[in-house]
Amino acid sequence: MSELSLSLFSTPEMDEVFSLARQVQYMARFEWALASALEAHRIAPKGTAAAVEPFADGTHIDLDSLVVEARGAGNLAIPFVRQFTNAAREANAEAARFVHYGTTSQDVLDTALVLQMRDALSILERDLDRLEQALILLTRAHQSTILAGRTWLQQGPPVTVGLKTAGWLAAIRRHRRRVQSAGSRAIVLQFGGAVGTLSALRDKGIAVAHTLAQRLDLMEPELPWHTHRDNLAEVAAALGLLVGTLGKMAQDVALLMQSEVAEAREPAGEGRGGSSTMPHKRNPVASAFILAAARRVPALVATMLSAMVQEHERALSGWQAEWETLPEIFKLAASALSRACELAEGIEFDADRMQANLDATRGLILSEAVSTHLAASLGRTEAHELLERASRRAVESKGSLREVLLEMEELQGVLNGPELDRLLDLKNYLGSTQAFIRRVLGED
Amino acid sequence: MSELSLSLFSTPEMDEVFSLARQVQYMARFEWALASALEAHRIAPKGTAAAVEPFADGTHIDLDSLVVEARGAGNLAIPFVRQFTNAAREANAEAARFVHYGTTSQDVLDTALVLQMRDALSILERDLDRLEQALILLTRAHQSTILAGRTWLQQGPPVTVGLKTAGWLAAIRRHRRRVQSAGSRAIVLQFGGAVGTLSALRDKGIAVAHTLAQRLDLMEPELPWHTHRDNLAEVAAALGLLVGTLGKMAQDVALLMQSEVAEAREPAGEGRGGSSTMPHKRNPVASAFILAAARRVPALVATMLSAMVQEHERALSGWQAEWETLPEIFKLAASALSRACELAEGIEFDADRMQANLDATRGLILSEAVSTHLAASLGRTEAHELLERASRRAVESKGSLREVLLEMEELQGVLNGPELDRLLDLKNYLGSTQAFIRRVLGED
Amino acid sequence: MSELSLSLFSTPEMDEVFSLARQVQYMARFEWALASALEAHRIAPKGTAAAVEPFADGTHIDLDSLVVEARGAGNLAIPFVRQFTNAAREANAEAARFVHYGTTSQDVLDTALVLQMRDALSILERDLDRLEQALILLTRAHQSTILAGRTWLQQGPPVTVGLKTAGWLAAIRRHRRRVQSAGSRAIVLQFGGAVGTLSALRDKGIAVAHTLAQRLDLMEPELPWHTHRDNLAEVAAALGLLVGTLGKMAQDVALLMQSEVAEAREPAGEGRGGSSTMPHKRNPVASAFILAAARRVPALVATMLSAMVQEHERALSGWQAEWETLPEIFKLAASALSRACELAEGIEFDADRMQANLDATRGLILSEAVSTHLAASLGRTEAHELLERASRRAVESKGSLREVLLEMEELQGVLNGPELDRLLDLKNYLGSTQAFIRRVLGED
Amino acid sequence: MSELSLSLFSTPEMDEVFSLARQVQYMARFEWALASALEAHRIAPKGTAAAVEPFADGTHIDLDSLVVEARGAGNLAIPFVRQFTNAAREANAEAARFVHYGTTSQDVLDTALVLQMRDALSILERDLDRLEQALILLTRAHQSTILAGRTWLQQGPPVTVGLKTAGWLAAIRRHRRRVQSAGSRAIVLQFGGAVGTLSALRDKGIAVAHTLAQRLDLMEPELPWHTHRDNLAEVAAALGLLVGTLGKMAQDVALLMQSEVAEAREPAGEGRGGSSTMPHKRNPVASAFILAAARRVPALVATMLSAMVQEHERALSGWQAEWETLPEIFKLAASALSRACELAEGIEFDADRMQANLDATRGLILSEAVSTHLAASLGRTEAHELLERASRRAVESKGSLREVLLEMEELQGVLNGPELDRLLDLKNYLGSTQAFIRRVLGED
C-alpha cells in the first residue's frame, strides 16, 4: 500500500510504534492486565491471569481479518476481543469468561494508544537530546563565525552562526520541556467501561483500575477521559510546536544553501540530494522534508483540536477522527526531528562565503551602526534620513558606504575616517551576541 | 503497517488506486510513452519504444528498495528511473539511453498522479451517480412523510423527509458538477523538464509533449505546472466541499437515530454497529465514519492550499507536502461517499415515531402558523408576543397550545375552534414543500 | 466597521485589551521605559525619561493616520515612532534623540503584544476560576441526579449529572494549569534591535535590557525571540485546547436541550434565545456561540503553528500572519469562556425528564448490567449474545427487557425476578460514579 | 477597535462592503423587497411597499444598540427587525404588520450576505482583470529576459522572466474562471421561512420568492439553502485557491529581491518598505503582506468547510462560524490581490544582475545541456555521472565547467570546443520557452 509514504515522512522505528502489530500487542497486554486485576480482586477465579497470559503479546491475532471486520463493527476492538476470547476459550473456558469483563472497546483502544505514545515519546525525547547536543557543539564551534543578519530576506547588521544556532537550541530546550509536560499528563490509564462509571464492576471499579494501572505501569487519571481528549490534543499541539521550530531551522538552512548565498551545505551522503537532471546540484533534501512536515502538521493539530468536541459519555465521530491523525503527527514529528539531527550533526558552514556576501553589500548593512552613532549628535530621525540618502547614493554609484559618507558635506567635522572605520568594522558591531550565546550555553 | 487505517477510512478500490504498485505502473507507462514520443519525433532511434514496452507496466520494479532509496534521494522517481533504465539496458542498451530523456522526476511523478486521479475521479463519479439515484428514490418515497423541522436542535414547523433528502440531492448534484469541472482542469499532462522549458529537447519539446499526451490519452496544459498547483488544490477543495455535504447528511441521520428521537435507523448488517458492552444498540456506524471524514478533510484541504506557495520553477517543500495529503483526501472522500451510498440505499425511517415526536410538543411547533395568521389582524409583533405568552403557558401547564389559545381572552372573537384546528393541522402547514421537491426532482 | 463581529464573538473587555488604543498605549510605555533604561545606563542624558514621560500613555498619538501610514510602511511601529518622536522633540529636542534608540519596530510591537497578553490572560484566569467554582457547585448539587449515559448518541447505562460536570471540571482545571504555564513562558520582554544583537547599544545591551524589563515588570528571555515564536504559539494552542473543552460542554448542553430530550435548559434572560418566528422556543444561544468558537479556533491555532516557520533574524511574513490571528483567538476564547460561565451558573436540569427518558427505553440500557452479571456464569460472549436476542425481542414487542428476560427459557433457573429487579435498578448500576466525583471534588 | 487590522489586511473598499452599515442596508432592502412582493401577491395590502420604502436603505437603524442586543438574541436580525418594524409602524401601522412576514432571520442575513458578496466579487473580478493586464504587459516586455531557473532554491537551466510571469498569468486566468463560476452558483436568493418550507405563505411561497428575487435582481435557488452551505464554501475555496497563487508570485518576488540575488525590486513609493533601523533597505512589503494572507487564508477555508456540517433545517453553530470567517477571507483576498496588482504594475527586474548571477555558477547550470547532449552517445546514466564528476571538479577547483570538460579524458574525441560553446550558450538552451509564452499570450 502506501509504504512509500510511511517511509518518506516517518522513521522505521516510529512506523513500528504505530504499526497494527504493536497496537494489537498492547491491546492484548491490556486484556491480560485486566484479567490479572480481576483475579487480584476476586472477581475472576484464581488462574485467570495465568490462563490468558500466553495471549498477552497479541501474536495469535489474525491482523488481516481484524481490519475487514472492524470496518463494519466500527472499531478494531470488537473483532479483536472476539478473536482474543476465542483463543482463550480453547485454552481455558472458565478464564475466557472474564476476558474484557467490565470494560469497553474504547478502554482497550485508548490504553493501547497510551502505551504506543509512551514508546513514541521516548524516541522523541532521545532525539531531542541528540539534537540538543549537536546544537551545543555547533554553537560553540561557530560562536564567532560572522555572517549577515537578515530581516525581510535583506541583509542587515552582522550576527554570528553561533547566535543563530543558540536561538535554535534555546527553542529546542523549551520544546523538550513541553513534550515532557504534555506526556506526563497524557500517559495515563483509560478504564471506565461503557459510560465511564465502571458500573459492571459494582463497588470494585476503583480498586481494579488501580491494580490494572500498576500492571501496565501507568498512572491513573482522576476519572475516565473517553470524551475529554485535552491531554491527547495537548501532545499533538506540543509536537506541532516542535515541528514549527524544526521548520524554522530548515528554512534558515535552505535559504543559506541557495546558489547565490552558498553559506551552508547539508551533510553529503550516498544518493542524497542528487538531481536526476542536474548532476552538479546538492539539494537541501533534509530541509525540504522538514519543511514539508512543517506545512502538514499544523492542519493535523487543528483536526485534533476540532475532534475535542465529543458528545456525552462516548463520542460519535471525534474519537474516530483522532485514530489516524495522532499517529500521523507522531510520524511527521519523528521524521522531521530525525532529519534535523542529521542536519545539525553534519551541516557545513562556509565562513569565506559569508564574508564575501557581507562585502558584496559595500558596507550598507552597517548603516545602522553609523546612524545610531550619529543619532547621539544629530538626533535619531535626522541621522536615519542622512543614512538613507547615503545608502541610496552608494547603491546608485555602486560605491561603498564609506566613500559616500566621507564625501558628504553634512558630516564634515562630525565624523572622521578612523571613526568611520571603527564603526564599519563588523566585529565591532556584534553588540550582545556573545553574551546571549553564553547565556544559552549556561556559561554565564 | 497501517493497514487498518487504510481500510477504515478508505475503500479497497481507492486503496488500490493510490497504492505504490499503481503509482509505479503509471510511472513506467509514462517512461514508455515518452520513449514512443521520442521515437516518433526521431530523437530516439526506431525500436526504442518497442524495446521499452516490456517494462511499461512497472511490474519489474522492486518496490521495497525504491522506498528505502527514495528517502535519501528526495523522491521516488530517482531510484525508479535507475531501476527502469537498468532493466531496459539489459534488454536493449541503445534504447536505454533514451529512458527519461529530456524529462525530470516531477514530470513522471505528477503525470502518474494525474493518471491515478483519473481512476480515482471515475470511482467517485460512479458513486456520486449511485448516491444521486438512491436519493431520488428516497425523496420520491418520502415526499409526504411528515416530521418536525428542527432549528437550533429545537422542533419547529413540520417538513417532510422528502424535503430533507431533496436538499441533500440538490447539493450532491452541485458537487458532481464541481468534481467534473475540477477534474477536467486537473487531468492534464505534466511535461516540462528540469525547469519547465523542455530545453533538453531543443525545438522539439512542444511536438514531443503533444505525442506524449496522446499516448497517455491526456489533455495538454498551456505550459508546465510544476509550481502552479491550483488545479490539484481545486480537486482537493471540490472533494472537501463534497465531504462537507456528506457530513451534513450523516449528522442529520445520527441525530434522527438518537434513542430519544428514533426516527431513523441505519441499514442493518452482519456485525454492523453492535456494541461490545451494550447488546441492544444499533450504532450510527456509517454516519460516524462519514462525520469523522468531515472532521478531517477540511484541514487536509488547508494543507493543499498552503502547499500552493511553491518556489520558482520547482519547489522546495510545497510539492512534498502534497504527496500523502491528496491521496488521503481521495481516500476519505471515497470512504465517506461509499458509506453515504449504503446509508441512502438502506436507511429506514419511522413515520409513526415522527408523528409521536410531533405530538409530544403539544402543538407548540405550529405556534408560527397561528402567529402568522394572527399577524394579519394583530400585527406581526403583537401576534408574536401573544403566541410567546400562550406557548409559555402551555409549557407550564403541560397542556396543548390549542387549549391555551381557546382560553385566551385576547382571542375571543378573533379565532374560533374550527379555524384553529385548521391552523394546527400539520398537513396544512407545509407551504411550498411539495413545490420545492418537485423542482429538485425535475417534475415541474 | 465590523463592530458586530467584535461584539458577537468577543467580550467588551477583551475587545478593549486588543484595541488599537491599548496597543499604542503599551508601545508608548515601551518607549518611555527604554528612555528610562538608556538614561539609567548613561547612554541618554539625565532628564530623558522625564521628558518623554508625558507621552508614555500614548494618548497623543493620532490613531487614524497611524493605520494609513502603516499600510505602506509595513508595520504600525514605523509611523508610531515618527509621531512619538515628533511629539517628544517639541517638548525636548535633546531627549527626542533617544526615542527608539537601539531598538527596532518588532521590539516595540512584540513587547506591546506581551503586555496586552498579560492583561488578556489575567481576564481568562479570572474566568477560569469563576467557571471552576460554578462547576464545583453544579457537581455537588447534582452528584446523584441520574440520567442516561450516552454513547454514539444512544442511551447506555446511567450516569449522574454530577459525573458529567465533574468531567468538565477536571478538564477546566487542567486547562488553567496549561494556560498559566504557557503564559509564564510567553510573558517576557522582546528587545534585540535590528537583528537580535542589540548591536547599537554596544556592550551595554544586556544591562539596558535588564532595566527595561524591570520598568515594564516583565521577565527577560534568554535571548531575543524575533523569529522564535514557540511561546506565542503555545499560548494559542493552550487557548485552543481550552476552547475544545468548552465546545464539548456546550455540545453536551445543546444535545440535552433538544425538544425530544429536554433534560437541560440554558439560563433564561431578557431577549435571549428567542426565535423571530417560533415564539415558544428557548434556543441554546450560549452553546451555539461556544460551539461556533470551537469550530473556528482550531484553524486559527494552525495558522499560528504555520506562522512559526520564520526566516533568519526577522521574518518575511510569518510575523505578520500572527498580528490578527492571535488577538482573534483570545477574543473567541474569552467569549466562549464567558458564555460558559453564564451557562454553568444558570443551567437548569430537569431530573423528572431524565427519569422519563430512561424509562422510555424500557430497561434496555441496563442490558449491560444483566449481561455482565450473567457473564460470570455463562461467559462474556454467550451472555452478550443472549442479551442481544432479548433486547431485539423487547424492541420488536415494545415490551420491557424485564418481561422478555423472565420469559426466556435459557434463563430459567439462572436468574429469578428479585435478582433481576436488583440488576435493573438504575441506582444499583452507577459503579464508581460517586468515587470518581469525590476524587474530583477532592473529598477523598 | 481593530482599525489597524482592517486596514492592514484588507482594502478600504472591501472594508466598506463588509461593514455593518452595508449589511444593514441590504437587510433593509430585503425587507422592503419582501413587502413589495407580498403586496404584489395580495398578501399585504396596497401601499405596503411604498410605506416601507423610506426605510429601505437602513440608515435609520441604530447600529450600536443592534450589536448589544444581538449578543443575547443570537443574531443581528432579531433586533434589526424590531427596530425596522418600529420605524415602519410609526409611519404606517398597517404596513408594519407585514414587515418580515413569512420569513426568518436567516433569510434576511443570508440574502444580505449574498448582496454583499455580489459587490465583493465585482471588486475582485475588476482586480483580476487589472492583474491579468499587468501580467500580459510584463510577459511581453520580458519574454526574452534570461535568468536562472531554480529548483529546490538551486540554480538550474535558464528560463526567461516572461516564462515565469506567463505561468502566473495562466493561473490567474484559471482563477478568474473559478471565481466567476463559484459566484454564479452562490449569488442566489435565500428565502425559506423558519424551516425552509415558506409555510407561512401557504401556497404562495414560490410566487413571492420569485418576485422577491426579481426585486433584488437575484437568481432563485432550487430550494432554500439554510443548512446547505456548499455554494458559500465554494466561494471561500475559490478565493483560497486564488490567494495560493498570489502567494506563489509573492514568494518568487521576495526570493528574487534578496540582497544576494537582487534580480527584482518591488515598486518604490513614499514611505514604503523602509526600515526604522536600516535606512538602506527596500523591503518586500507587498510580497510580505501577500504571503501573510497566503498563510492565513487556508485555515479560514478549512473553517468554512468544517462549518458545512449543519444540523437539520437550521443549524446550531455552523452558520455562526461563517459570520466573521467569510468576510475575513474576502478581505484578505482583496488585500492580497490589490497588492499583487501594484506589484505586477511596478516591479523592476534587473537583467544585468540576472546575467551576473548566472555567470557566478560558472556554467554549472548548463550541465544538463551537456549531459543531455552526451546521453545520445554515452547513455543517460553514464552522461549524468560524467557531468556529476565534472561539476564536482569545477566546484572544487573554482574553475568553469567549460574548462573542466575540455580537460576530461573521457570526452576527447566526443566533444570539441565549438560544440561545447554552443551547448553552454544560455540562449541556446531555452527549449520551448518562447512557444509556451506565445501559447499563454494567445499568439499561437
Side-chain angles (χ1 to χ4, degrees), chain C residues 98-342:
Chain C
F98 290 92
V99 168
H100 203 66
Y101 184 95
T103 190
T104 191
S105 294
Q106 194 171 353
D107 288 341
V108 191
L109 286 163
D110 276 348
T111 301
L113 173 65
V114 163
L115 294 170
Q116 289 174 286
M117 286 203 302
R118 182 163 65 185
D119 294 349
L121 288 169
S122 97
I123 291 169
L124 293 176
E125 289 178 31
R126 180 202 64 203
D127 282 358
L128 282 165
D129 281 347
R130 184 181 153 199
L131 180 55
E132 185 180 346
Q133 290 313 312
L135 292 176
I136 289 171
L137 295 179
L138 268 186
T139 302
R140 286 206 182 111
H142 293 284
Q143 197 153 351
S144 303
T145 310
I146 294 180
L147 80 167
R150 290 174 177 99
T151 74
W152 298 73
L153 297 185
Q154 306 298 305
Q155 285 196 13
V159 298
T160 70
V161 172
L163 184 66
K164 200 182 273 280
T165 57
W168 303 347
L169 171 58
I172 289 301
R173 282 194 187 129
R174 291 192 293 271
H175 291 300
R176 210 186 38 186
R177 284 194 291 272
R178 281 184 196 111
V179 168
Q180 282 168 344
S181 154
S184 73
R185 269 190 277 263
I187 304 305
V188 293
L189 179 71
Q190 176 70 287
F191 188 55
V195 293
T197 59
L198 291 174
S199 46
L201 300 176
R202 307 282 161 176
D203 59 347
K204 294 190 175 167
I206 297 276
V208 170
H210 188 68
T211 306
L212 175 55
Q214 283 183 322
R215 296 286 184 276
L216 295 169
D217 197 18
L218 287 173
M219 302 293 288
E220 288 174 78
E222 282 179 297
L223 75 181
W225 43 280
H226 292 138
T227 48
H228 281 284
R229 316 299 284 182
D230 53 299
N231 287 339
L232 290 189
E234 185 187 9
V235 169
L239 300 186
L241 291 164
L242 165 62
V243 171
T245 289
L246 299 176
K248 188 264 183 291
M249 289 174 49
Q251 179 81 294
D252 284 357
V253 171
L255 290 169
L256 293 177
M257 280 180 71
Q258 290 173 100
S259 306
E260 298 85 3
V261 180
E263 298 181 2
R265 284 168 77 85
E266 286 198 1
E270 193 52 47
R272 296 186 66 90
S275 155
S276 67
T277 48
M278 284 170 290
H280 66 285
K281 288 175 50 177
R282 176 120 47 108
N283 286 329
V285 174
S287 299
F289 276 92
I290 296 169
L291 282 163
R295 295 221 195 202
R296 291 178 56 192
V297 170
L300 298 171
V301 173
T303 298
M304 289 297 295
L305 292 173
S306 294
M308 286 180 68
V309 181
Q310 300 199 355
E311 296 87 357
H312 291 313
E313 280 63 48
R314 300 234 323 279
L316 182 63
S317 68
W319 179 42
Q320 288 86 339
E322 300 169 359
W323 291 351
E324 294 185 347
T325 306
L326 189 56
E328 207 165 332
I329 293 170
F330 267 104
K331 289 176 186 182
L332 285 159
S335 159
L337 182 54
S338 152
R339 299 250 189 203
C341 288
E342 292 170 28

Side-chain angles (χ1 to χ4, degrees), chain A residues 151 155 258-260 281, chain D residues 150-151 155 258-259 281:
Chain A
T151 73
Q155 286 196 12
Q258 293 174 97
S259 306
E260 297 84 1
K281 287 176 51 177
Chain D
R150 290 176 176 97
T151 75
Q155 285 196 12
Q258 291 173 99
S259 306
K281 287 175 51 177

Side-chain angles (χ1 to χ4, degrees), chain B residues 367-368 371 380 384, chain C residues 275-279, chain D residues 100 102-105 193-194 314:
Chain B
S367 64
E368 187 200 49
S371 164
R380 217 185 49 77
H384 185 83
Chain C
S275 155
S276 67
T277 48
M278 284 170 290
Chain D
H100 203 66
T103 190
T104 191
S105 294
R314 298 234 325 278

Side-chain angles (χ1 to χ4, degrees), chain A residues 148 150-157 251 254-255 257-261 263 265 274-285 288-289 295 306 357 361 364-365 367-368 371 380 384 387-388 391 395, chain D residues 148 150-157 251 254-255 257-261 263 265 274-285 288-289 295 306 357 361 364-365 367-368 371 380 384 387-388 391 395:
Chain A
R150 289 173 178 99
T151 73
W152 298 74
L153 298 185
Q154 306 298 306
Q155 286 196 12
Q251 178 81 294
L255 290 170
M257 280 181 71
Q258 293 174 97
S259 306
E260 297 84 1
V261 180
E263 299 181 2
R265 282 168 78 84
S275 155
S276 67
T277 48
M278 286 169 287
H280 65 285
K281 287 176 51 177
R282 176 116 51 103
N283 286 329
V285 173
F289 275 92
R295 293 221 197 202
S306 293
N357 286 337
T361 44
L364 289 177
I365 65 164
S367 64
E368 187 200 50
S371 164
R380 217 185 50 76
H384 185 82
L387 265 295
E388 268 193 323
S391 298
V395 168
Chain D
R150 290 176 176 97
T151 75
W152 299 73
L153 297 186
Q154 306 298 306
Q155 285 196 12
Q251 179 82 294
L255 290 169
M257 280 181 71
Q258 291 173 99
S259 306
E260 299 84 3
V261 180
E263 298 181 1
R265 285 167 78 83
S275 156
S276 67
T277 48
M278 286 170 288
H280 67 285
K281 287 175 51 177
R282 177 125 42 111
N283 286 329
V285 173
F289 275 92
R295 296 221 195 202
S306 294
N357 286 337
T361 46
L364 289 176
I365 65 164
S367 64
E368 188 201 49
S371 165
R380 217 185 48 77
H384 185 83
L387 264 295
E388 269 192 321
S391 298
V395 168

Side-chain angles (χ1 to χ4, degrees), chain A residues 52 114 128 133 140 176 218 251 267 286 334 375 396 403:
Chain A
V52 164
V114 162
L128 280 166
Q133 290 312 311
R140 285 205 184 112
R176 210 185 41 186
L218 287 174
Q251 178 81 294
E396 283 156 14
E403 293 158 5

Side-chain angles (χ1 to χ4, degrees), chain B residues 368-391:
Chain B
E368 187 200 49
V370 186
S371 164
T372 309
H373 177 82
L374 292 176
S377 48
L378 305 180
R380 217 185 49 77
T381 310
E382 289 76 2
H384 185 83
E385 285 167 7
L386 187 146
L387 264 296
E388 268 191 324
R389 284 198 304 281
S391 298

